[in-house]
Amino acid sequence: MPVIAIANPKGGVGKSTLATNLAGAFARQGHAVMLGDLDRQQSARQWLKLRPDAAPRITHWEIREDTGQVRPPKGTTHVVIDAPAALHGKKLSALLNVTDIMLVPLQPSLFDIQATHAFLSELREFPKSARIRLGLVGMRVKDHTISQERLQEYAATLNAPMVATLRDTQNYVHVAAHGLTVWDIAPSRVERDLAQWEPLLEWVARA
């Protein structure tokens, strides 16, 4: 059962968008998916409350308050965790204990780039991070812009692959408002977006 954490200590980088749509992709493939929300804003948990009964099921991740241990429902095949902002120290260490794959979303801005660089440096101070597959995901990227070029140049300097870039589109906003993902609506409406997810899903599947 792979546990995939979506993590970046900087807020507003698109963690919940990435987490919910990744869980939605697994659910559409027929997997038994659990979505955990450790973020203080509880965006993913609120999103689950909006999810229609007819949509492929995604189960909420329940956590023991006394120990913080994951308690996945029986039969769960995939776990996606929406990690909190300000993820450092003991909180980061605890997350690494249960994580197999970590996806780090970042936007093409100087502030995101600096925050991500600091986070990856801290992450590698933990010996247990060596066993975790680490990938970067560009969020809200506009094609053929200087910011896109800078993001690609920066990513090339890090010891982590840029596994996908997701474009800046209102599609994610519209589906989230109804508890849905880009996998839950007519493919013709989100053709470009689904194509951008293909390399990410292929990379995760190689775990």
Side-chain angles (χ1 to χ4, degrees):
M1 178 186 68
V3 177
I4 305 165
I6 312 301
N8 190 323
K10 185 179 182 301
V13 295
K15 290 190 294 291
S16 294
T17 296
L18 183 57
T20 54
N21 280 273
L22 181 59
F26 291 147
R28 178 58 60 180
Q29 293 171 354
H31 298 297
V33 186
M34 183 174 69
L35 176 62
D37 192 352
L38 301 182
D39 195 348
R40 181 175 299 177
Q41 294 182 347
Q42 293 286 290
S43 299
R45 185 170 188 173
Q46 295 300 321
W47 172 83
L48 272 178
K49 292 181 179 179
L50 299 172
R51 191 160 177 78
D53 292 337
R57 186 181 181 189
I58 300 173
T59 305
H60 179 251
W61 176 48
E62 296 184 6
I63 186 170
R64 288 182 56 181
E65 294 183 359
D66 56 340
T67 65
Q69 293 179 347
V70 176
R71 301 182 64 187
K74 185 177 181 180
T76 299
T77 62
H78 291 67
V79 177
V80 179
I81 299 176
D82 186 5
L87 181 65
H88 303 287
K90 292 182 179 179
K91 290 183 178 180
L92 177 56
S93 179
L95 181 63
L96 294 177
N97 286 336
V98 299
T99 298
D100 301 304
I101 299 172
M102 181 172 287
L103 293 173
V104 181
L106 71 158
Q107 296 183 58
S109 74
L110 176 62
F111 300 111
D112 278 34
I113 288 172
Q114 291 176 335
T116 301
H117 183 275
F119 175 59
L120 295 182
S121 296
E122 180 182 3
L123 183 66
R124 293 190 174 102
E125 292 177 0
F126 293 88
K128 52 190 157 187
S129 69
R131 67 169 182 78
I132 295 172
R133 291 184 65 211
L134 181 67
L136 306 175
V137 181
M139 303 294 291
R140 301 176 189 142
V141 178
K142 295 182 178 180
D143 293 336
H144 311 299
T145 60
I146 294 177
S147 60
Q148 180 191 34
E149 294 177 1
R150 289 179 177 173
L151 179 63
Q152 293 173 339
E153 291 173 358
Y154 164 71
T157 68
L158 299 175
N159 188 24
M162 179 71 76
V163 298
T165 57
L166 307 182
R167 69 190 183 112
D168 187 12
T169 171
Q170 289 295 300
N171 287 342
Y172 293 107
V173 177
H174 293 157
V175 295
H178 301 283
L180 299 172
T181 72
V182 292
W183 309 96
D184 299 317
I185 61 177
S188 59
R189 294 175 53 188
V190 288
E191 185 175 359
R192 288 182 60 191
D193 303 305
L194 296 180
Q196 291 184 325
W197 275 86
E198 288 181 4
L200 192 159
L201 295 176
E202 291 174 358
W203 183 84
V204 168
R206 292 198 296 269

